[in-house]
Amino acid sequence: MPQNEPEDRPVPYADDPKIHHVDTRTLRGLAHPLRIRLLNALREFGPATASGLADRLGESSGATSYHLRQLAAYGFVEDAPEHGKGRERWWKAVHAGTTFNTSTFTEHPDAEVRGAVGVVLHEVATTHTQELNTWLGTMREWPEEWRKAFDLSDFKLRLTPELSLELAEKIQELVNSYRDRVPEDTEGSAVVRTHLHMFPRPTD
């Protein structure tokens, strides 16, 4: 999250009910750092209460409760009554992932929309950095097999915009080909996070 939808190409996951296609209305509902963190936590760790999420994220339960209701108003989360006991209110993510066409929002005539997508993109970049730093700080706690299996690489290529888009799509296709290959209860398995960053740089 988010995954960019290129313009003038078939929209990825168009028929996948597990993927939320963000529009200008729902973008406004998502554009808050805590809401993005709440949504990520629900998607990764499953249903939770506002107080449970507050403990996980180091926030107040009042703040998490308010922003969960805002996420619900925009269709990102919903009640999970099957998990509740008594008056305890549980929440769950409606979708497994989020996708949108970045350029649609970064070039939007409404400054509020441009600002909202900036908040989302910067929070995603911050999350990626935090996840990587957490791994580097805790990697010695993992078995040797996992320490040998991780990768931290960067590459410099000269490409056209069309080839850059083609490369990104092929990488995403390759990553998606590994989904559902390992059952959840497989011994020695773990959830693996893969980040893709692709952007041009000046040459001088």
Side-chain angles (χ1 to χ4, degrees), residues 181-187 189-191:
R181 288 180 56 173
V182 180
E184 283 193 22
D185 58 353
T186 301
E187 184 177 356
S189 68
V191 173

Side-chain angles (χ1 to χ4, degrees), residues 70-86:
Q70 292 299 306
L71 286 170
Y74 287 92
F76 289 100
V77 305
E78 63 185 5
D79 283 312
E82 65 275 17
H83 294 274
K85 296 180 181 178

Side-chain angles (χ1 to χ4, degrees), residues 145-164:
E145 292 82 1
W146 277 113
R147 296 199 302 271
K148 290 181 178 179
F150 106 96
D151 181 69
L152 181 61
S153 301
D154 61 86
F155 306 90
K156 183 177 75 172
L157 304 170
R158 181 169 293 278
L159 301 173
T160 62
E162 293 76 17
L163 285 176
S164 181

Side-chain angles (χ1 to χ4, degrees), residues 89-181:
R89 187 176 188 180
W90 284 68
W91 299 90
K92 63 183 178 181
V94 176
H95 309 91
T98 302
T99 183
F100 59 77
N101 185 344
T102 304
S103 63
T104 297
F105 301 122
T106 56
E107 300 170 10
H108 199 278
D110 188 335
E112 184 180 346
V113 173
R114 297 195 303 272
V117 75
V119 169
V120 173
L121 293 175
H122 279 90
E123 184 60 26
V124 170
T126 298
T127 299
H128 287 183
T129 301
Q130 290 172 341
E131 290 178 342
L132 180 56
N133 285 335
T134 297
W135 160 252
L136 294 175
T138 61
M139 60 188 299
R140 290 188 175 277
E141 301 172 10
W142 286 77
E144 182 182 2
E145 292 82 1
W146 277 113
R147 296 199 302 271
K148 290 181 178 179
F150 106 96
D151 181 69
L152 181 61
S153 301
D154 61 86
F155 306 90
K156 183 177 75 172
L157 304 170
R158 181 169 293 278
L159 301 173
T160 62
E162 293 76 17
L163 285 176
S164 181
L165 178 57
E166 178 184 309
L167 177 58
E169 290 177 338
K170 286 184 175 180
I171 293 173
Q172 292 173 14
E173 182 180 350
L174 177 61
V175 171
N176 284 325
S177 72
Y178 281 81
R179 292 189 186 278
D180 303 320
R181 288 180 56 173

